[in-house]
Amino acid sequence: MRLHEPVEESKTVGWPLLEREAELASLRRLAARAVRGEGGLAVIEGPPGIGKSRVLREAAAVARDTGMQTLDCRGTELERQLPFGLVRQLFETRIARLEPGARDELLSGAARLAGPIVCATGGYDVPAGPEPASSVLHGLYWLTANLADLGPLAIAVDDAHWADAPSLRYLTFLANRVQGLAVLLVVTRRPSEPGAEIELLDEIGSVPLAHAIRLGALAPPSVSELVRAALGREPEPSFAAACHEATRGNPLLLRELLADLAQAECEPVSRNAERVLTLAPGGVARSVLRRVRRLGPEAVSLASSAAVLGTRADAPTAARLAGLDPAPASDAADALARIDVLVPGTLEFVHPIVRTAIYAELPSREAARLHGIAARLLAERGRDGDEVAAQLLAAEPAGDPWTVDVLHGMARRARARGAPEVAARYLHRALAEGTAEPPRAELLRDLGGAEVATAKPHGADRLRQAYELTADPRQRAQVGLETARALTLHGDLAEAADVLERSLADLDGPDPELSGRLEAELIAVSISDLALRHRADAHVMSLFEEGETIRDPLRLATLAIVMASVIEPAATGADLAERAVRHPPLSPEEDQLLYLHAANALVSANRFERARRLWDQAVDRARHAGSVTAFGFASTLRAGISVRTGALGEAEADLRVPLETIGGDPRLPFTFVAAPLTHVLIERGELEAADRLHADVGPGTDLPERIDQNFALESIARLRLAQGRTEEGVALLRELGRRLEAFGIRNPAAVAWRSLIGPALARVGDRDEARELVAEEVQLARGFDVPRELGVALRAQALVEPEDAAVDLLREAVSILETTPARLEHARAVTELGATLVHLGHRSDAREPLRLGLDVARRCGASVLAERAHSELVASGARPRRLVFSGVDSLTASERRVADMAAGGRTNREIAQALFVTEKTVEGHLLHAYRKLEIGSRSELPRALRRPAGE
Ligand SMILES: Nc1ncnc2c1ncn2[C@@H]1O[C@H](COP(=O)(O)OP(=O)(O)OP(=O)(O)O)[C@@H](O)[C@H]1O
Ligand SMILES: [Mg+2]
């Protein structure tokens, strides 16, 4: 029997479909939408037996008739743990039928990430990202889009309440993006089926595009009609009324009742109406069981084994499980088909409710025993491990090491393929098996890992238990590392440090590489929290002692960032960072830490372009792995660098994807994203939007004393100053200064807080303190040799020192900044110079710097500064053109990015895949860009984008 054959009905095929015209009309409309490329989504809901599958089949037929390709799949009760079971039903056969060339085409671009799931013949690698689940999702989405390119596509999903979680994640992901695709997605579900993945199911239904179809019961005339169809003659009214009353218009109940009546050769006449009412109670289950029992014990046991084996029952296995020889088993199957229990020629039930009726009759121990035997039989026949595992999940724990082995192996495979939920389920069951010496530590470790991947809170606890149970020091240390990472993710830094310290102590030397990782992780955890800082001291000291001789890239990068923060000049630390990154890739987690340290060290030495290239690389790698989290992380950090150089549009475009996950993904802390975004918004004068971003932060000074919060403090302080709430800003900056001191961070390239607080203090009257602080910053910036911060500090000094010193200071600031990539700071200094000259009455000298300030500020997208330069220009007596942002300037960050990529020759699809958005989004951005640039087509883009600003 084929695996994915949709159930064809036997006797009811000839039944007319009644009272579903309106529903079918909606489905037809949705299909038409889909064909137009606008996407269609319907969720068909209703109680068991009401006719969901029937309408779905009808919808698929409609779609086929309109020339759509159709894919279908169906959840089953027994197989809800089959990883990507539904997805595989949808795609596997379709893909297997293709010629290799066509298959490669279909699985090209981001779709290749779906290869390991949908291509049974292999040949595709499991994605190498930190979380395969999101990569696979991305891949499946693009596979769907590629298929829809070949022609409009209808996807029919029956019984989604029994879908496996990974498949359902795909369906939800697709549902949210179906709008721009030539895809019709129709899903059926029972509203309240126990054990269903309700959240995911509800999410599909709440997509704005989703059309809900709720099926109701059939009215009496329809019931009459169906009675006539089944019993072969017009029923007398009271008989028909009895059928309606007994089934309340539920078509399945009716169908079963009629099968019963037909078997008993009951005539549809009034005198038999009583009989209908006595047969009906107990519904489907009673009726099915009655019919099966009448056939005798062999039919009963064959039906039971078919129910235990589920949709994949093959005849020999079912016969063996039933304890029957092949011939009587085959006779029993035929008999079961004749009474409308099995689909003729198969061991498949005509309806899931029929299977449930048979299955529910088995005492639960007996069912569990049969599942255990079934597992062995399937394994002997060489069936896929997941099928075996599905049986084992339902089998009684029996202390069997083989069971543990199978489940453990399948759990690992599921995890690697992006089905961590399933992996967790398998591992739970393996732990419950109760073998004498279970590999408990390993099971717990894998379980913890799977739970961390599904963001389940117990993940870290589980890992810690595994840690305690692991005897071998090296393995233990490895588990310790995983535990600490999970704890860090949950914000339990102190506990993470405990575990790391213990692991290091236990390991005591034999594995320098592992010790290096543990140490680097311990330092990273400890130096990010003021309360834990002291725990890094000894380790940092030893790093300093080893210095240049360190080979381990992570330790080297750790030393690099520590040095660049405290040792003058910053180049010494940055050189180490350069060495650290000249190293083959490590694991995704380790690479993330390595890049973070190294890029920060480079930024600390003003090597912005180098740091940016690191994040470029990380972005590319994340793209290749299809990892949206890694992509978000790298883009966010790249945005931080763009903010420093004044490429505000680029920064904003980089923050778009992370903004969507902000707060929802612990791997990307809120402040990482919020801080650079706040800067951008301030420069554009969008203070309210910036304020909203921090609405639930409170005064700010009470933020946790963690290193990432420094950036939050800085950005909120800037916001308060921009809002004119100077005292609040000053208070925040004082707090920031105190913390930086406590963290031991002296390099102003980390946070130039003194240059910020100085001018603010001077405004509120504390000029002496202001001068002192700014002078200190000038000195530090010289010492660390960071020209950007030196220029910034000199400009600040001009604002706090007496007026006669200002022009010289500003000239010096300008001459330093103009040689750096920090264009926005250059614009700020040169504008300040012009404004000061205007103020001092040197109006004509002021014009040139002001023009330059205006031009550079515009190019950066810094509208507030551009406006200031403009109005000072007016004050200087120049007559600059009116300041309007049009053409290239008026593009939003995302429009600009998409337009640049399109101008570079990339297709919409390539752009969408690269930016983790849909093609529709790309099209939207391009259309807006064309309008603003006043062009009609893609080919005009390169020229239009090169047009100088304001023309
Ligand atoms: N509107 C209808 N007119 C005639 N027969 C119908 C109608 N709806 C359903 N049926 C018949 O009733 C039976 C049950 O329908 P179906 O299997 O579609 O129910 P379901 O809602 O999918 O149930 P479940 O929740 O168990 O999956 C089928 O034999 C089907 O052909
Ligand atoms: Mg159904």
Side-chain angles (χ1 to χ4, degrees):
M1 181 185 320
R2 287 259 300 287
L3 198 80
H4 307 137
E5 214 69 68
V7 195
E8 277 306 334
E9 290 191 83
S10 54
K11 303 216 167 127
T12 42
V13 169
W15 279 32
L17 178 70
L18 302 176
E19 294 186 42
R20 300 293 185 238
E21 291 80 12
E23 288 80 1
L24 288 175
S26 320
L27 287 163
R28 246 179 242 116
R29 271 196 303 279
L30 293 178
R33 256 192 80 108
V35 169
R36 289 198 303 272
E38 294 166 13
L41 170 61
V43 179
I44 305 176
E45 265 191 24
I50 202 68
K52 301 179 293 296
S53 302
R54 182 78 193 265
V55 170
L56 182 72
R57 265 197 304 279
E58 219 60 52
V62 165
R64 248 189 307 270
D65 289 347
T66 49
M68 297 179 85
Q69 338 167 52
T70 54
L71 298 176
D72 44 36
C73 66
R74 167 168 72 104
T76 62
E77 202 169 3
L78 185 68
E79 295 177 339
R80 58 222 274 180
Q81 293 311 328
L82 222 56
F84 288 107
L86 263 60
V87 163
R88 290 173 52 197
Q89 286 182 41
L90 287 176
F91 297 107
E92 236 172 30
T93 340
R94 172 70 211 254
I95 286 176
R97 272 198 238 119
L98 296 172
E99 298 288 316
R103 179 180 337 143
D104 289 348
E105 180 88 358
L106 201 58
L107 289 169
S108 65
R112 82 185 184 290
L113 296 162
I117 309 297
V118 297
C119 203
T121 50
Y124 290 87
D125 290 338
V126 176
E131 8 71 84
S134 89
S135 312
V136 166
L137 219 53
H138 185 57
L140 286 169
Y141 168 76
W142 285 107
L143 168 61
T144 314
N146 287 351
L147 257 178
D149 272 359
L150 304 177
L153 175 68
I155 298 180
V157 182
D158 202 3
D159 292 337
H161 45 268
W162 288 326
D164 61 288
S167 293
L168 216 44
R169 261 191 284 116
Y170 155 70
L171 292 172
T172 309
F173 191 84
L174 176 64
N176 277 303
R177 290 161 184 76
V178 80
Q179 194 161 21
L181 299 178
V183 171
L184 169 66
L185 174 61
V186 187
V187 174
T188 75
R189 64 172 285 200
R190 295 183 186 164
S192 42
E193 182 69 10
E197 303 278 343
I198 295 291
E199 268 175 40
L200 287 168
L201 283 170
D202 286 352
E203 197 180 330
I204 298 181
S206 60
V207 170
L209 197 71
H211 180 79
I213 295 182
R214 298 207 171 78
L215 298 181
L218 300 180
S222 306
V223 171
S224 274
E225 195 176 333
L226 293 173
V227 174
R228 181 172 29 134
L231 300 185
R233 56 172 277 205
E234 188 69 37
E236 290 181 6
S238 58
F239 185 92
C243 290
H244 183 257
E245 190 190 329
T247 60
R248 275 187 236 93
N250 180 303
L252 182 76
L253 292 185
L254 182 63
R255 174 188 147 144
E256 290 302 317
L257 175 66
L258 293 171
D260 231 6
L261 292 169
Q263 195 190 26
E265 296 179 358
C266 174
E267 296 274 304
V269 292
S270 297
R271 75 185 129 78
N272 282 336
E274 269 307 292
R275 189 149 167 219
V276 167
L277 294 175
T278 55
L279 267 181
V284 177
R286 283 280 287 282
S287 147
V288 168
L289 292 169
R290 238 187 338 254
R291 273 152 44 219
V292 174
R293 286 203 191 106
R294 280 186 205 131
L295 295 179
E298 296 184 338
V300 173
S301 53
L302 186 71
S304 305
S305 46
V308 164
L309 288 167
T311 43
R312 287 149 203 256
D314 62 90
T317 310
R320 280 183 68 187
L321 189 60
L324 296 174
D325 285 332
S330 154
D331 292 345
D334 291 345
L336 287 165
R338 277 194 300 277
I339 60 163
D340 210 12
V341 165
L342 292 183
V343 176
T346 75
L347 286 167
E348 200 148 357
F349 289 90
V350 295
H351 198 279
I353 293 178
V354 176
R355 174 191 173 265
T356 310
I358 303 278
Y359 188 79
E361 260 311 279
L362 289 169
S364 56
R365 305 241 6 200
E366 175 62 5
R369 192 185 68 85
L370 288 173
H371 282 299
I373 301 174
R376 292 271 181 182
L377 291 175
L378 292 173
E380 277 167 27
R381 288 186 73 81
R383 300 287 285 260
D384 188 88
D386 280 317
E387 284 178 50
V388 178
Q391 292 294 338
L392 289 175
L393 282 182
E396 183 97 326
D400 181 355
W402 176 78
T403 301
V404 173
D405 240 35
V406 171
L407 288 169
H408 198 183
M410 286 301 108
R412 290 202 162 147
R413 190 172 84 170
R415 174 77 201 279
R417 291 183 172 186
E421 301 91 338
V422 178
R425 218 41 89 82
Y426 287 171
L427 291 162
H428 266 294
R429 177 61 187 78
L431 280 163
E433 182 64 14
T435 39
E437 270 179 56
R440 226 181 129 67
E442 277 189 47
L443 292 173
L444 281 168
R445 173 186 181 182
D446 286 353
L447 178 55
E451 286 179 339
V452 170
T454 51
K456 287 261 164 52
H458 338 281
D461 290 343
R462 209 84 75 181
L463 282 167
R464 209 181 351 208
Q465 284 175 38
Y467 174 72
E468 302 296 348
L469 284 173
T470 308
D472 174 70
R474 276 176 63 178
Q475 245 179 17
R476 196 171 138 87
Q478 187 59 46
V479 182
L481 200 54
E482 289 163 25
T483 310
R485 285 183 187 141
L487 287 164
T488 308
L489 219 50
H490 287 286
D492 296 335
L493 297 186
E495 299 204 23
D498 286 346
V499 172
L500 290 165
E501 271 178 358
R502 273 180 58 196
S503 306
L504 259 176
D506 293 351
L507 191 60
D508 201 21
D511 184 340
E513 194 175 312
L514 187 52
S515 304
R517 298 288 187 277
L518 289 165
E519 187 181 45
E521 206 82 32
L522 174 61
I523 297 175
V525 166
S526 316
I527 59 172
S528 38
D529 190 310
L530 267 190
L532 302 176
R533 251 200 83 72
H534 60 282
R535 297 170 74 162
D537 288 348
H539 298 282
V540 171
M541 282 311 294
S542 78
L543 285 184
F544 270 109
E545 276 158 24
E546 282 177 67
E548 296 276 328
T549 62
I550 297 176
R551 305 185 66 87
D552 182 84
L554 252 183
R555 294 181 77 224
L556 201 56
T558 309
L559 179 60
I561 181 60
V562 174
M563 279 179 68
S565 310
V566 294
I567 308 266
E568 302 178 8
T572 325
D575 287 345
L576 294 181
E578 304 266 13
R579 264 184 49 204
V581 294
R582 258 186 271 140
H583 193 276
L586 310 170
S587 77
E589 290 93 352
E590 283 157 359
D591 263 347
Q592 195 143 309
L593 188 58
L594 174 71
Y595 275 44
L596 191 61
H597 283 338
N600 282 344
L602 292 167
V603 167
S604 297
N606 276 196
R607 296 186 191 168
F608 300 113
E609 281 318 309
R610 266 304 280 139
R612 171 191 296 281
R613 276 207 300 282
L614 276 188
W615 292 124
D616 286 345
Q617 270 174 31
V619 163
D620 283 346
R621 254 188 237 170
R623 260 183 203 148
H624 190 75
S627 165
V628 73
T629 309
F631 177 80
F633 188 87
S635 308
T636 301
L637 284 137
R638 189 166 64 180
I641 295 169
S642 298
V643 163
R644 282 168 198 263
T645 57
L648 301 177
E650 280 176 43
E652 197 194 351
D654 266 340
L655 292 170
R656 203 197 49 75
V657 168
L659 255 179
E660 280 169 17
T661 45
I662 194 168
D665 191 336
R667 283 166 290 204
L668 188 56
F670 174 78
T671 48
F672 273 42
V673 184
L677 188 61
T678 307
H679 286 226
V680 172
L681 293 171
I682 294 172
E683 297 299 343
R684 282 216 307 255
E686 294 177 28
L687 301 184
E688 273 174 31
D691 211 37
R692 276 198 300 280
L693 211 51
H694 299 284
D696 44 2
V697 167
T701 44
D702 51 356
L703 290 169
E705 293 185 319
R706 282 202 323 260
I707 211 159
D708 59 315
Q709 301 296 333
N710 291 344
F711 300 103
L713 277 174
E714 184 202 352
S715 60
I716 303 172
R718 279 179 187 270
L719 175 61
R720 296 294 170 250
L721 295 180
Q723 287 170 317
R725 290 158 67 172
T726 312
E727 294 196 347
E728 284 167 72
V730 165
L732 283 166
L733 289 168
R734 280 195 197 286
E735 172 65 13
L736 177 57
R738 180 192 71 78
R739 290 186 186 195
L740 286 165
E741 187 83 7
F743 276 112
I745 300 172
R746 296 173 56 245
N747 185 343
V751 184
W753 69 281
R754 296 177 188 85
S755 301
L756 277 173
I757 200 173
L761 278 175
R763 279 202 298 281
V764 292
D766 221 333
R767 202 164 267 273
D768 287 343
E769 192 191 356
R771 291 175 60 191
E772 208 173 296
L773 283 170
V774 174
E776 194 181 344
E777 190 130 295
V778 169
Q779 206 183 0
L780 283 168
R782 288 194 203 281
F784 278 96
D785 192 15
V786 279
R788 177 183 181 275
E789 284 66 34
L790 179 57
V792 168
L794 289 168
R795 178 181 53 78
Q797 205 163 31
L799 298 174
V800 299
E801 291 294 333
E803 206 167 77
D804 50 5
V807 172
D808 284 344
L809 284 167
L810 287 168
R811 282 197 202 284
E812 190 185 349
V814 168
S815 74
I816 290 168
L817 285 166
E818 69 192 0
T819 65
T820 72
R823 287 148 53 222
L824 179 56
E825 291 309 331
H826 175 220
R828 218 189 299 282
V830 82
T831 304
E832 197 64 57
L833 174 62
T836 307
L837 290 169
V838 172
H839 180 73
L840 296 174
H842 307 300
R843 292 172 36 171
S844 56
D845 293 347
R847 285 176 203 148
E848 197 194 309
L850 286 172
R851 280 202 188 96
L852 182 61
L854 172 59
D855 182 50
V856 180
R858 279 184 91 120
R859 285 172 196 274
C860 291
S863 47
V864 175
L865 183 61
E867 272 155 28
R868 172 155 188 239
H870 187 267
S871 61
E872 292 289 354
L873 256 183
V874 173
S876 77
R879 290 209 197 85
R881 235 180 312 182
R882 212 157 52 85
L883 189 63
V884 279
F885 287 89
S886 63
V888 179
D889 283 335
S890 65
L891 298 185
T892 66
S894 300
E895 288 161 5
R896 175 74 204 231
R897 169 150 302 177
V898 167
D900 279 337
M901 290 172 90
R906 299 227 221 175
T907 65
N908 288 6
R909 170 142 315 183
E910 286 165 347
I911 298 171
Q913 293 187 351
L915 299 178
F916 289 85
V917 298
T918 63
E919 254 181 285
K920 191 163 173 73
T921 306
V922 171
E923 283 160 17
H925 286 326
L926 278 180
L927 272 176
H928 286 146
Y930 293 172
R931 200 170 313 140
K932 290 179 182 174
L933 297 171
E934 296 175 11
I935 59 175
S937 76
R938 203 179 193 90
S939 58
E940 295 170 73
L941 264 178
R943 254 196 42 222
L945 289 171
R946 275 198 306 270
R947 273 201 296 256
E951 281 174 27

